[in-house]
Amino acid sequence: MIFKCAYLILGCALSSLKEYEAFSHCAPQQVHLSLTDNVDSMYVTWASNYRCEGKGIVKYWESDNSPATNASQNVVKVDQYLHVDEGNTTRTRMGYTFRTKMTYLKPNMTYNYVVGIFKKPQKVVWSKKFKFKTFPTDVNWTPTILLLADMGTDNAQAWPFIVEDALKSVDVIIHIGDFAYDLDRYIGHNGDRFMNMIEPVASQIPYMPVPGNHEGHVNFSEYFNRFTTSGPRSLFYSIDVGPFHLVMLNSAFYFKVKYGFDQILTQYNWLRKDLEKANKSRKQQKWVITFAHRAMYTTSKDKIKGPQPERIRVGFDHFPGFEKLFYENNVDACFWGHEHNYERFYPIYNYIYNISENKNVYENFEGIPHFIVGNAGAREPLTPFDKIHPPWSAVRKSSYGYAKLTNLNSTTLYLRAYGIHKLNYTRFLMDHVTIKY
């Protein structure tokens, strides 16, 4: 009766620790959502530390219906991969990822879902019930995107505030590189810990990844085995969210060259075609925004016009950087991480910048606004700024935090950056800017 109850009723208590341990071996964990290429579908990904039967299942249904009367389901095979420890490549363990696409979703609808893993051919270990809401198709929809970067399992200072904020008023979360510090640490157990940490939010709101330098171990294997997107191994891709065309790029390609140089040109050629296509769809997606980890502009200590930012900005040898392509294709804003601070730049191109009378309003300008949001809380401390404060840098803040971006209307973007008070650990509005085109 106990096992029958456990399989049929989510959250049913078990009678002994021994039974619980046996049951939990196949229990789903690390459940998270991510966006697909289509508004009527959603990726869901989950994991296990055991292969079990090698099959998983998802059931999903509209929130006002019971799963018994109106449930869709997908059965999926497991993806098996090897965790390789960051410090000792001879230490390995197997990891198991399940991923599938929930399809034929109605717009602006709340869905419930559960994921499961087959422990035996006819026995499924189910997760608890989760929920998410699909996007509306209203052309006047104004989505809010939460932005963070450089957040670990330890010292994740901004995370409690992100959880509270995201569940109230956020449609998509974009993590711009450096997860967990690191996903492969302790043979991947630190990555498991991180993915379980974000599950309460990522199981309800699409959590979109961008690779950083800390994901490069064993050619980004931990990263692409944990996340699911429409791009090749999630290393670079683009998605549409209402009026936004969002472009995720891998800046680590310019530095992790031991895996080859072809990936730089492969990404660049894809980016050129993607931006050209996006410019032809400006009526549907007014805003083209890019995200990559290492910034091409920064005034962090000893990095002003340094070799690392310049490699991203203009390239090296015969490999092109991003800036000229961004400018020629009218990219509206660029977001970065890597530096563990918050910095906002005046619209800029090739170090030619436009200072506005009101530094909280950008209007009638040339160049592209840039933002660094690498202050969510990393293993390392906050990054100090250089003593020199160049005029193209509008705002510099050494505080933990995160940011939110929304479109107020068809001509106006609005960004809010939040900081965390050191003394009383409360959130405050650290910076805001209105961008008018």
Side-chain angles (χ1 to χ4, degrees), residues 127-187:
S127 69
K128 68 178 183 180
K129 183 174 69 176
F130 301 102
K131 67 178 181 179
F132 68 94
K133 189 174 182 179
T134 56
F135 296 156
T137 54
D138 181 3
V139 294
N140 296 316
W141 178 46
T142 57
T144 297
I145 302 170
L146 191 146
L147 309 168
L148 74 147
D150 301 82
M151 185 177 72
T153 50
D154 301 314
N155 196 39
Q157 296 279 335
W159 184 243
F161 301 94
I162 291 172
V163 172
E164 181 181 6
D165 204 353
L167 296 178
K168 290 180 181 178
S169 61
V170 169
D171 299 291
V172 181
I173 297 172
I174 300 178
H175 188 143
I176 314 171
D178 284 8
F179 302 77
Y181 288 87
D182 291 337
L183 292 171
D184 49 82
R185 195 178 181 193
Y186 307 133
I187 330 177

Side-chain angles (χ1 to χ4, degrees), residues 108-316:
N108 204 29
M109 175 68 69
T110 299
Y111 283 85
N112 294 327
Y113 73 99
V114 291
V115 299
I117 298 173
F118 284 87
K119 184 178 180 182
K120 296 179 180 179
Q122 303 301 321
K123 297 290 186 179
V124 177
V125 184
W126 292 103
S127 69
K128 68 178 183 180
K129 183 174 69 176
F130 301 102
K131 67 178 181 179
F132 68 94
K133 189 174 182 179
T134 56
F135 296 156
T137 54
D138 181 3
V139 294
N140 296 316
W141 178 46
T142 57
T144 297
I145 302 170
L146 191 146
L147 309 168
L148 74 147
D150 301 82
M151 185 177 72
T153 50
D154 301 314
N155 196 39
Q157 296 279 335
W159 184 243
F161 301 94
I162 291 172
V163 172
E164 181 181 6
D165 204 353
L167 296 178
K168 290 180 181 178
S169 61
V170 169
D171 299 291
V172 181
I173 297 172
I174 300 178
H175 188 143
I176 314 171
D178 284 8
F179 302 77
Y181 288 87
D182 291 337
L183 292 171
D184 49 82
R185 195 178 181 193
Y186 307 133
I187 330 177
H189 287 298
N190 195 55
D192 294 347
R193 182 183 167 201
F194 178 84
M195 300 304 294
N196 282 317
M197 182 183 83
I198 67 171
E199 182 189 86
V201 172
S203 59
Q204 299 185 58
I205 300 170
Y207 198 99
M208 306 308 299
V210 180
N213 57 296
H214 279 265
E215 282 68 69
H217 185 60
V218 194
N219 204 10
F220 305 94
S221 62
E222 284 283 337
Y223 170 84
F224 65 72
N225 278 304
R226 292 183 183 272
F227 292 102
T228 307
T229 74
S230 58
R233 302 195 305 176
S234 301
L235 295 176
F236 55 90
Y237 60 99
S238 63
I239 52 173
D240 293 332
V241 177
F244 291 106
H245 182 70
L246 309 174
V247 185
M248 321 300 185
L249 299 169
N250 191 345
S251 61
F253 283 163
Y254 285 80
F255 301 90
K256 303 288 184 181
V257 293
K258 67 180 180 180
Y259 302 120
F261 293 90
D262 289 348
Q263 55 199 6
I264 298 174
L265 291 177
T266 298
Q267 176 178 248
Y268 184 86
N269 291 331
W270 169 87
L271 173 61
R272 178 170 46 80
K273 293 178 181 178
D274 184 81
L275 293 178
E276 290 172 354
K277 182 180 178 180
N279 276 323
K280 296 177 182 178
S281 303
R282 289 279 185 165
K283 287 185 177 180
Q284 293 77 31
Q285 279 75 46
K286 164 70 177 177
W287 311 105
V288 176
I289 315 291
T290 67
F291 305 86
H293 185 63
R294 289 184 188 257
M296 67 172 67
Y297 290 101
T298 174
T299 68
S300 291
K301 187 177 181 181
D302 300 328
K303 289 188 178 179
I304 298 175
K305 294 188 178 181
Q308 289 188 13
E310 288 296 278
R311 181 171 282 213
I312 298 298
R313 192 177 73 83
V314 298
F316 68 102

